[in-house]
Amino acid sequence: MRWNNSSIKCSQWLQFLVLSTLLVTTFGGCLFPLDWTGRWFQSGIGHLTVNSTYFESKGECVQIEGDKYIVNERVEKDPCKRCIAVYKRHDNVIQYKESNCLSYDSLEELCHDITGDQSLLSMFRADEASTIPCPFKSPPYKFSYNRGSGDCSFPLSRIDSCTDDSKLLVYFAACPDVTGTESGVEELNCLATWKEGSSRYLVAKIKKDLNLSEEDSYRCYMYSKKPGSELMYQVAQSGDATCSSVTSPSEGSKTMFLTRVESRHERCQFPSWVVSHHHWHSLGNDHSYHFSHKNATLRITREHGPTEMRLVCHHVVTNSSTVTLVAHATAGCKNGYICMVFHKRDSAVIQVQQSIEMVKEPTEACIPPFTDSRQMSSPVTLITVSLPETRCPHAGHYIASSGQASWTLPADPDPLCHTNTSVSISCFATPNAISFQTCSSEYNAVYHCHGTWSENRTTYVIASPVSRKSTDAKRYCFILNQRSGYMTLHRLSDSCNLSANRITSPLNLTLQGSCSENSASKDSSMLVLPSILSLKVALVLLNIFR
């Protein structure tokens, strides 16, 4: 288990302090800082473990003064002590200098053995090392590199982003006229950054293939921005799992000169009627769509999960109630350009389509064959977090027959009501609702309407049930189609796309009258009832007084 200040509870701290104090009081010695605890990797040694009192390959803690520790090496013959001067750079990186193992007891004498020009040794956390955002912001970058045989600058190499901002994808190009260069791809996982004077350091773990050893995975980088520019970096990389071989941003086993690729991204924004709400949810509530405050970046995440795709607006192709644009897409560490189509359906409802295949050039994204129907995703229906109620379309009273529909009201116990379900749309006191009711009035369902649109004689309605079971959907899409003499009604829970859901058995609705006609008949019946009662009372009184 990895210990760190943010995750250790107060009780764990107390237990640790009590136990450690007891050990030190009983046996003497000192304590290493708690955040050193864990398993580490050091070049030339491999894995080593540090706990509260013991530093593997060094010894037991016996004395401490500032950042200097005296350790007693565990040897049976000729026991000795050494001084370790420790510099913690990050939760994932510890550097130190050490003296020879000597027979001195004095901290001053032991630590005097450490010289100023002695190399710093580096340890990198091996287990449960948390990652950090990489320091080279807003990729992509193009770069030249030098491995000691000359600059490889034609063709230029490239750095691309990943959806996880702690990762970068580095594409090395081979230069025909420079020996020692070869094409390849490396995935950088950024573990630590720190600043020492004017120098900035990065430690990353490289992932190239499954057989890469940890000795070949950990690398240290020293980097600096070009003076007066936010777009250029000079970077030096170590040749092994240490930081001692990089002495400046221009001196290392490999040096690179990075230039951020400027593009039209910074001048492109998603449609105003889309970013008027920065948070959207898919109808099935399984994905969230979050637009940045600058309206240029969209992150699609699985509900309560990591980012699945990041999209940056590149340029708008057409702009109206349906907007087509090119976006730079990042999914995992895969990058490219796609075509996106936004459909405005209602104030709180939009639909999004995107091309399935990524392309390398933005000019190719929104032209055939990448925009053919088979190359575009089905429309994804998005709704806002809070949905206003709207008037439902096709107002009136209907009789419903379920046929082979996969959804309907529960069967009414009254056999006379078994097949008689009435449907009222936008009637009486619920003008923003669709109501389903059996003739006994015991079983009913009411859905509030939140958005509606029509397309090719088909009407779509986003609705939510007034009451539901915990396993039922929170939102539905009702799809109404006008037929000869009746209307079909589908109810979908995750999209408004019939072909995607493969539902072919709707409810069939037959119009019985308008809301006003039904209301008038009810009102007239209420007027007739008092007249009948008055007539009966008059007849009773007449019989009494005869």
Side-chain angles (χ1 to χ4, degrees):
M1 174 182 176
R2 180 187 168 192
W3 296 77
N4 56 61
N5 292 335
S6 62
S7 64
I8 297 175
K9 297 180 181 178
C10 182
S11 60
Q12 291 175 306
W13 270 101
L14 289 173
Q15 291 173 12
F16 171 80
L17 290 173
V18 170
L19 179 61
S20 300
T21 303
L22 180 62
L23 289 170
V24 172
T25 303
T26 305
F27 301 104
C30 59
L31 299 175
F32 293 122
L34 186 61
D35 53 9
W36 293 10
T37 300
R39 192 163 171 259
W40 299 79
F41 177 82
Q42 181 177 327
S43 179
I45 294 178
H47 289 108
L48 54 89
T49 301
V50 179
N51 61 32
S52 60
T53 60
Y54 180 64
F55 196 132
E56 188 177 353
S57 82
K58 308 302 174 189
E60 299 278 358
C61 184
V62 294
Q63 189 179 351
I64 178 174
E65 184 177 300
D67 57 5
K68 295 181 175 65
Y69 296 81
I70 302 300
V71 294
N72 190 12
E73 192 165 318
R74 288 179 175 177
V75 290
E76 294 181 3
K77 295 181 179 180
D78 301 323
C80 59
K81 296 177 182 177
R82 71 174 74 235
C83 175
I84 305 175
V86 181
Y87 312 95
K88 184 187 174 187
R89 305 304 190 189
H90 187 272
D91 284 347
N92 294 330
V93 178
I94 290 176
Q95 292 184 315
Y96 68 93
K97 294 181 179 182
E98 63 179 348
S99 70
N100 293 317
C101 201
L102 305 169
S103 58
Y104 303 141
D105 288 326
S106 165
L107 182 144
E108 184 177 350
E109 288 181 299
L110 285 167
C111 295
H112 185 71
D113 190 55
I114 299 175
T115 60
D117 59 353
Q118 193 169 329
S119 294
L120 274 170
L121 302 174
S122 299
M123 299 196 316
F124 309 126
R125 190 177 291 278
D127 291 343
E128 299 183 21
S130 58
T131 55
I132 62 161
C134 293
F136 310 118
K137 305 298 182 183
S138 303
Y141 288 85
K142 290 186 177 180
F143 69 95
S144 60
Y145 67 95
N146 190 323
R147 284 178 169 159
S149 301
D151 287 338
C152 177
S153 57
F154 185 79
L156 286 170
S157 301
R158 183 180 178 90
I159 295 177
D160 267 324
S161 61
C162 300
T163 49
D164 182 346
D165 59 9
S166 69
K167 296 181 180 181
L168 291 172
L169 208 60
V170 184
Y171 297 90
F172 287 97
C175 293
D177 57 340
V178 181
T179 59
T181 63
E182 58 182 3
S183 59
V185 182
E186 294 180 354
E187 181 185 302
L188 254 62
N189 292 267
C190 298
L191 300 178
T193 57
W194 71 93
K195 186 178 180 182
E196 187 180 343
S198 60
S199 302
R200 296 180 181 272
Y201 291 86
L202 162 69
V203 168
K205 196 170 185 181
I206 296 173
K207 183 179 179 182
K208 285 195 291 189
D209 55 61
L210 297 176
N211 299 319
L212 199 65
S213 67
E214 291 201 286
E215 187 74 50
D216 295 325
S217 297
Y218 290 103
R219 287 295 180 265
C220 191
Y221 302 81
M222 186 183 289
Y223 64 95
S224 64
K225 289 182 181 178
K226 184 179 179 181
S229 174
E230 293 293 318
L231 305 177
M232 299 179 183
Y233 290 90
Q234 180 72 52
V235 183
Q237 177 186 316
S238 65
D240 53 19
T242 71
C243 292
S244 57
S245 60
V246 284
T247 55
S248 77
S250 58
E251 296 180 42
S253 173
K254 182 194 299 176
T255 58
M256 295 169 278
F257 189 78
L258 279 56
T259 303
R260 187 159 72 88
V261 178
E262 291 188 273
S263 67
R264 295 161 67 181
H265 291 191
E266 296 166 359
R267 299 187 294 274
C268 179
Q269 292 184 330
F270 289 100
S272 58
W273 44 266
V274 173
V275 295
S276 59
H277 300 280
H278 286 286
H279 295 275
W280 296 81
H281 294 276
S282 59
L283 183 64
N285 206 40
D286 54 348
H287 282 83
S288 295
Y289 288 64
H290 175 68
F291 293 88
S292 68
H293 67 283
K294 292 184 178 180
N295 304 337
T297 303
L298 164 63
R299 288 182 181 269
I300 303 174
T301 62
R302 186 170 293 278
E303 200 68 22
H304 308 301
T307 300
E308 290 189 349
M309 182 174 282
R310 182 176 66 243
L311 298 144
V312 180
C313 183
H314 186 272
H315 71 271
V316 176
V317 179
T318 60
N319 196 348
S320 61
S321 59
T322 296
V323 173
T324 302
L325 58 84
V326 175
H328 182 266
T330 304
C333 287
K334 185 179 179 182
N335 290 265
Y337 293 92
I338 64 170
C339 189
M340 300 189 75
V341 183
F342 291 84
H343 305 273
K344 185 178 183 180
R345 299 309 191 188
D346 209 322
S347 61
V349 184
I350 63 174
Q351 287 188 307
V352 184
Q353 289 178 277
Q354 63 188 54
S355 52
I356 297 170
E357 186 177 344
M358 294 183 187
V359 296
K360 292 184 178 180
E361 296 298 328
T363 54
E364 298 176 355
C366 284
I367 61 173
F370 304 110
T371 53
D372 295 345
S373 58
R374 291 185 178 181
Q375 298 298 319
M376 296 291 289
S377 67
S378 299
V380 177
T381 303
L382 302 181
I383 56 177
T384 56
V385 177
S386 58
L387 287 170
E389 290 185 15
T390 60
R391 191 170 183 84
C392 307
H394 300 295
H397 289 282
Y398 300 83
I399 292 295
S401 60
S402 61
Q404 298 298 316
S406 58
W407 68 279
T408 185
L409 292 172
D412 196 297
D414 185 345
L416 296 177
C417 292
H418 188 66
T419 58
N420 294 327
T421 297
S422 64
V423 180
S424 298
I425 302 178
S426 293
C427 290
F428 308 127
T430 55
N432 300 332
I434 301 175
S435 302
F436 299 82
Q437 187 169 312
T438 60
C439 67
S440 69
S441 300
E442 186 175 348
Y443 295 96
N444 61 78
V446 179
Y447 297 82
H448 283 151
C449 299
H450 301 291
T452 179
W453 70 97
S454 295
E455 191 174 32
N456 299 327
R457 299 187 64 187
T458 300
T459 302
Y460 301 85
V461 181
I462 302 300
S464 61
V466 173
S467 62
R468 65 183 183 89
K469 296 178 182 178
S470 60
T471 55
D472 290 344
K474 294 181 179 180
R475 306 280 189 265
Y476 290 95
C477 182
F478 287 109
I479 303 175
L480 300 98
N481 280 287
Q482 292 282 3
R483 305 294 185 190
S484 178
Y486 68 99
M487 183 167 60
T488 61
L489 174 62
H490 294 269
R491 187 193 72 173
L492 310 181
S493 61
D494 55 357
S495 77
C496 290
N497 185 12
L498 278 174
S499 59
N501 288 270
R502 298 180 181 177
I503 294 177
T504 56
S505 301
L507 287 176
N508 296 324
L509 306 184
T510 303
L511 183 65
Q512 298 298 296
S514 66
C515 294
S516 57
E517 289 174 353
N518 192 280
S519 178
S521 65
K522 285 196 172 187
D523 292 341
S524 62
S525 65
M526 293 299 291
L527 292 172
V528 170
L529 182 59
S531 301
I532 295 173
L533 290 174
S534 299
L535 180 59
K536 287 185 176 181
V537 170
L539 290 173
V540 170
L541 291 174
L542 183 62
N543 289 329
I544 291 174
F545 291 105
R546 274 185 177 178

